[in-house]
Every structure is written in structure tokens, then in C-alpha cells.
Amino acid sequence: MAREQAKDFNAMLQDPKDMPKVQIITDPVSIAKYGGDRMYFAPPADYDAVMKRIPYGKLTTVGEIRAYFARLHQADFTEPITAGIFVSIAAWASSQRQDHPTPYWRTLKADGELNPKYPGGAEAQKALLEAEGHQVICRGRTHLRYYVKDYRQALEKLAP
């Protein structure tokens, strides 16, 4: 996302964008990749609500949130592109408001990777996670990527 400071992410968060909805897909490659044809689309505010449920010291991933929504709405999977976008919108919306913060730093990418698209980038997320007792490791030589070590041990169970 470009020019984050000029955008009203809280307005974006409240725009349901004709969601929630379940869409039947017909592309055989996508059906094979995601394990079915019922694709769920969750609105941005739903991602924010789930991210707010993650307690201090616990973690989740975008994939875990997607799986939770799919289970909750009897879909085969939750659409992945909007999921990533809406998680980032929730993070930026939280950084723009004074009340009711969303602990977005507790939501990781796949394999426990930190999200460089969050406010302040991976460095800010790293500091917040370390303040909660998580150990963050760096991988790579030229393109540095950060991961929470043993993140699976701290995953919060998302149940309806």
C-alpha cells in the first residue's frame, strides 16, 4: 500500500464491499489448489474482530483466520488475496485511532513470518512481539525476513 498516512483506513474497515458472501468457483486449478469450490469472502471488519480476540502472548496467522472463516461459514476456503489486504487494513486502521486498538502485530503471515506491510514495518512488529516474550529470528542475507521462532506453540485456537 502506498501513501498510508493519507488514507482513511477506518472508513475502509467499515466498508463491507458486498460481503460476506460465498461464491462457487469453477476453475479446476483453483478447486484443486484450495480443496473445493465454495469460496468465502469475509468483510474487512470481520478480520479486525478476529484479530482483536488474540490475547497477549498468543499469535495467529492469516491462514488460521482464513480457515476459521471457512469453517464458520461452511465454505471450502476463504479467498486469500482479500484476506491479506483486509488484515493490513485492520492494522493501519488501528494505528490511526486512539481507542479500541487491534493487536495486529499478533497476526503473522505463513510460517510465522512478520508482515512488512504493517505500520512501522517488520521492525515495529518485531519490537511489539518481543515485548510480549516472543523470540524473533532473521533469515536471509540480502532480503531479510523475520519470523517468530516456534510460533506454532503460541497459536491461539480460533473456534466459533
Side-chain angles (χ1 to χ4, degrees):
M1 290 185 206
R3 299 181 41 192
E4 283 81 359
Q5 300 307 324
K7 297 178 182 178
D8 184 351
F9 286 97
N10 284 288
M12 291 181 198
L13 192 63
Q14 299 310 316
D15 181 359
K17 303 186 186 315
D18 298 325
M19 298 174 201
K21 67 181 177 182
V22 173
Q23 182 174 327
I24 304 300
I25 61 168
T26 58
D27 174 45
V29 174
S30 295
I31 292 169
K33 179 177 181 178
Y34 295 113
D37 64 352
R38 293 179 49 80
M39 177 170 60
Y40 179 71
F41 289 82
D46 287 6
Y47 286 92
D48 188 63
V50 171
M51 292 165 72
K52 283 182 177 178
R53 291 176 36 195
I54 307 304
Y56 182 95
K58 291 292 191 174
L59 302 168
T60 194
T61 66
V62 177
E64 292 290 326
I65 295 172
R66 288 180 53 234
Y68 164 75
F69 284 144
R71 286 191 309 272
L72 187 64
H73 298 281
Q74 293 83 42
D76 296 314
F77 66 101
T78 300
E79 200 280 325
I81 307 260
T82 57
I85 293 167
F86 294 167
V87 163
S88 289
I89 287 172
W92 281 95
S94 181
S95 75
Q96 289 179 342
R97 64 180 180 262
Q98 300 300 317
D99 59 343
H100 303 74
T102 300
Y104 60 86
W105 56 91
R106 297 177 188 150
T107 301
L108 308 172
K109 293 173 62 175
D111 299 321
E113 184 178 358
L114 277 58
N115 193 333
K117 294 182 180 178
Y118 284 167
E123 289 294 334
Q125 186 182 15
K126 177 180 181 286
L128 290 164
L129 289 167
E130 288 176 340
E132 293 189 8
H134 299 287
Q135 183 180 358
V136 177
I137 57 175
C138 181
R139 294 185 187 147
R141 293 185 184 203
T142 54
H143 179 65
L144 302 179
R145 295 165 72 170
Y146 296 91
Y147 297 82
V148 174
K149 183 177 182 184
D150 301 324
Y151 76 96
R152 285 186 181 89
Q153 295 173 2
L155 285 177
E156 178 72 2
K157 299 286 184 207
L158 296 174

